[in-house]
Amino acid sequence: MPPGLKDVAARAGVSIKTVSNVVNGYVHVAPATRARVQAAIEALGYVPNMAARQLRSGRSGVIALAVPELQSPYFAEIAGLIVQAAEQRSWTVLIDQTDGHAERERNLVAGLRRHAIDGLIFSPLALAGEELAVESGTPMVLLGERVWHGPADHVAIDNTAAAADATRHLRSLGRRRIAAIGVQDSPSAVTSHQRLAGYRSVLAEAGLESVETPVESFHRADGAAAMARLLDEGEPPDAVFCFNDLLALGAIRTLLERGLSVPGDVAVIGFDDIEDGRFSTPTLSTIAPDAPRIAQLAVDLLAERLGDGPAASGAPRELRVDHRLVVRESTTVA
């Protein structure tokens, strides 16, 4: 006979109610107690009766995460962290890739899987706030920069301030021709717009000319091509701020192929602090968003919206998460 709540409670030395609270993801359980219960669950191989739990609670124990693209290391990391945070509540996460297509995003927030999921964590690219407000039929938490003061709780970093920190770091090295790789004109390219604003603000303070290079997307090949254009068109830069780490890694590849040194000839900084940048040659200076905090807050906010407390129906909240400047070899001359 498979183990039940009573068996887990006996092994962990707690009440059946406490085991139920842990299994159902209630937050008001002491960390030490939760750890004991989880250890007992793993030792006994206890598997919750999901059908019975859904009948009792009206919940499936399943949430969805929708991001623009999973090939992006940043979104892949966020997805993994959200899965880990959801596991603490015994939730399963369904992951969807929207590619930034409006119809796919609209289907998600309109509740295409409404009966299969309890809530949605969503990083939109195509839909604006008013569209989300009209379409949404599922409890939702928003990520990213596309929608501010929208119809749902929102977790993001201050992209403009972070970009200013990256540019200010390059300026502190005495660099005077600082280029930006990652400019996009599309109204939906809010990340690019915000990072460009931060870059421009620092150059304006220093009385320096901006050198802005457009890209179609934020991938390595785009960074490599943009860097080649910078080197072929007029005076080359002595520093480059790339709007994400993939662009920066592509830019460094081109610089090295052209016989230039990084950072001796050109200092390069990226954004996101992906793992590749910690193992590249040279290692990559970058802006590091607090990705674990972003993931944990998103799951916690969704849990509150799915609960019975006052936060379940309160006004949408805007939460900003810290970032930090990480200085590595690509901007540090030995």
Side-chain angles (χ1 to χ4, degrees):
M1 183 175 180
L5 289 177
K6 183 177 180 181
D7 303 302
V8 175
R11 185 178 182 94
V14 299
S15 68
I16 293 176
K17 176 64 174 175
T18 297
V19 175
S20 178
N21 286 344
V22 171
V23 169
N24 287 288
Y26 291 114
V27 296
H28 301 298
V29 178
T33 302
R34 184 183 299 276
R36 280 209 318 279
V37 172
Q38 293 286 9
I41 288 172
E42 293 174 9
L44 294 172
Y46 169 72
V47 178
N49 186 327
M50 299 303 293
R53 186 166 117 185
Q54 184 172 356
L55 286 173
R56 288 194 303 270
S57 67
R59 303 291 184 192
S60 66
V62 178
I63 65 169
L65 167 66
V67 296
E69 58 172 2
L70 286 168
Q71 75 182 92
S72 162
Y74 174 75
F75 285 118
E77 180 185 9
I78 287 290
L81 291 167
I82 285 175
V83 169
Q84 292 175 18
E87 283 179 346
Q88 298 171 12
R89 300 177 181 277
S90 299
W91 289 354
T92 297
V93 182
L94 300 179
I95 301 176
D96 206 340
Q97 176 174 294
T98 67
D99 294 314
H101 294 164
E103 190 59 30
R104 295 191 69 175
E105 293 188 354
R106 191 171 290 113
N107 286 338
L108 279 166
V109 297
L112 189 63
R113 299 177 177 173
R114 188 175 304 175
H115 300 296
I117 64 172
D118 297 329
L120 171 66
I121 298 174
F122 180 32
S123 181
L125 279 187
L127 298 189
E130 60 272 14
E131 295 174 286
L132 290 169
V134 170
E135 300 288 352
S136 180
T138 302
M140 181 168 56
V141 173
L142 299 173
L143 301 178
E145 299 76 39
R146 179 69 174 102
V147 178
W148 287 93
H149 307 295
D153 294 329
H154 181 205
V155 182
I157 69 167
D158 187 336
N159 265 281
T160 302
D165 287 344
T167 311
R168 196 172 291 114
H169 170 61
L170 296 175
R171 180 71 191 94
S172 73
L173 302 174
R175 309 297 170 125
R176 297 192 58 81
R177 185 166 172 77
I178 303 172
I181 292 179
V183 178
Q184 295 180 317
D185 292 331
S186 167
S188 64
V190 179
T191 298
S192 176
H193 300 166
Q194 292 180 352
R195 293 178 188 178
L196 180 61
Y199 159 81
R200 284 176 171 173
S201 69
V202 173
L203 294 190
E205 290 172 3
L208 297 177
E209 177 187 2
S210 66
V211 182
E212 301 169 7
T213 309
V215 296
E216 290 188 11
S217 63
F218 278 20
H219 296 139
R220 294 174 181 85
D222 299 279
M227 191 70 247
R229 291 197 302 274
L230 280 171
L231 295 176
D232 292 339
E233 299 171 358
E235 181 185 356
D238 59 8
V240 181
F241 167 41
C242 297
F243 289 5
N244 82 346
D245 286 349
L246 293 181
L247 291 172
L249 292 172
I252 289 173
R253 174 73 181 188
T254 293
L255 287 167
L256 298 180
E257 287 178 346
R258 297 290 188 93
L260 298 171
S261 67
V262 179
D265 294 314
V266 183
V268 179
I269 190 168
F271 201 116
D272 286 340
D273 193 25
I274 65 172
E275 186 177 25
D276 287 6
R278 300 168 211 162
F279 292 91
S280 61
T281 302
T283 55
L284 183 62
S285 294
T286 188
I287 294 293
D290 190 346
R293 181 67 175 155
I294 291 171
Q296 190 65 58
L297 277 176
V299 171
D300 289 348
L301 289 173
L302 189 58
E304 291 179 19
R305 292 297 180 185
L306 293 172
D308 299 322
S313 58
R317 293 159 291 184
E318 298 277 355
L319 300 181
R320 289 184 186 260
V321 174
D322 291 339
H323 65 271
R324 61 190 176 90
L325 171 69
V326 180
V327 178
R328 298 196 181 102
E329 295 168 347
S330 67
T331 62
T332 304
V333 180

